Amino acid sequence: MDAIKAARELGRAIQNDERYKDYAAAKEANDNDEALQQLIGEFNLKRENLQLEVNKPEDKQDEAKIQKFNKELQESYERVMTNPHMADFAIKKNALDSL
């Protein structure tokens, strides 16, 4: 058996595993959750704002802005991770990763 054929068989076996099926269903639920997608978008925007400020030369950085952006980012992350679909997705992803 060649490596390509073995890899394909492994891929099919993984896709038939219940952990993969659960992961795929949870991912689809995340993708279809408009409120969650909005939260993720807000999180990414806050992360970009923080990154822009941190990437400035040190003499141009505003420490108050950095702290504010960091706090907002943490709060946004908590909202994303406490979304029921995201919480379920994290559990399913961990199960798949352990495969």
Side-chain angles (χ1 to χ4, degrees), residues 7-63:
R8 286 187 180 134
E9 287 183 20
L10 176 60
R12 279 192 291 278
I14 290 171
Q15 289 176 336
N16 287 322
D17 189 281
E18 287 303 313
R19 290 166 286 192
Y20 177 82
K21 292 175 183 178
D22 290 345
Y23 164 83
K27 182 182 181 313
E28 183 176 350
N30 273 2
D31 292 346
N32 293 328
D33 184 335
E34 290 181 26
L36 175 59
Q37 294 307 311
Q38 179 70 29
L39 289 172
I40 292 170
E42 291 171 8
F43 171 82
N44 288 332
L45 183 60
K46 291 176 188 312
R47 184 181 60 195
E48 288 174 23
N49 288 338
L50 175 61
Q51 199 64 39
L52 286 172
E53 191 64 34
V54 169
N55 286 339
K56 290 180 180 178
E58 282 191 41
D59 62 330
K60 303 286 185 192
Q61 291 180 3
D62 183 334
E63 188 60 36

Side-chain angles (χ1 to χ4, degrees), residues 82-93:
T82 57
N83 174 284
H85 287 138
M86 182 57 81
D88 184 53
F89 174 78
I91 291 168
K92 303 295 171 50
K93 184 176 182 320

Side-chain angles (χ1 to χ4, degrees), residues 53-99:
E53 191 64 34
V54 169
N55 286 339
K56 290 180 180 178
E58 282 191 41
D59 62 330
K60 303 286 185 192
Q61 291 180 3
D62 183 334
E63 188 60 36
K65 277 187 180 180
I66 291 173
Q67 289 178 3
K68 176 182 174 260
F69 291 153
N70 204 10
K71 182 177 185 241
E72 289 175 355
L73 184 65
Q74 290 172 347
E75 291 169 351
S76 184
Y77 178 80
E78 288 176 22
R79 285 192 296 275
V80 168
M81 295 310 292
T82 57
N83 174 284
H85 287 138
M86 182 57 81
D88 184 53
F89 174 78
I91 291 168
K92 303 295 171 50
K93 184 176 182 320
N94 286 337
L96 179 63
D97 289 346
S98 71
L99 178 66

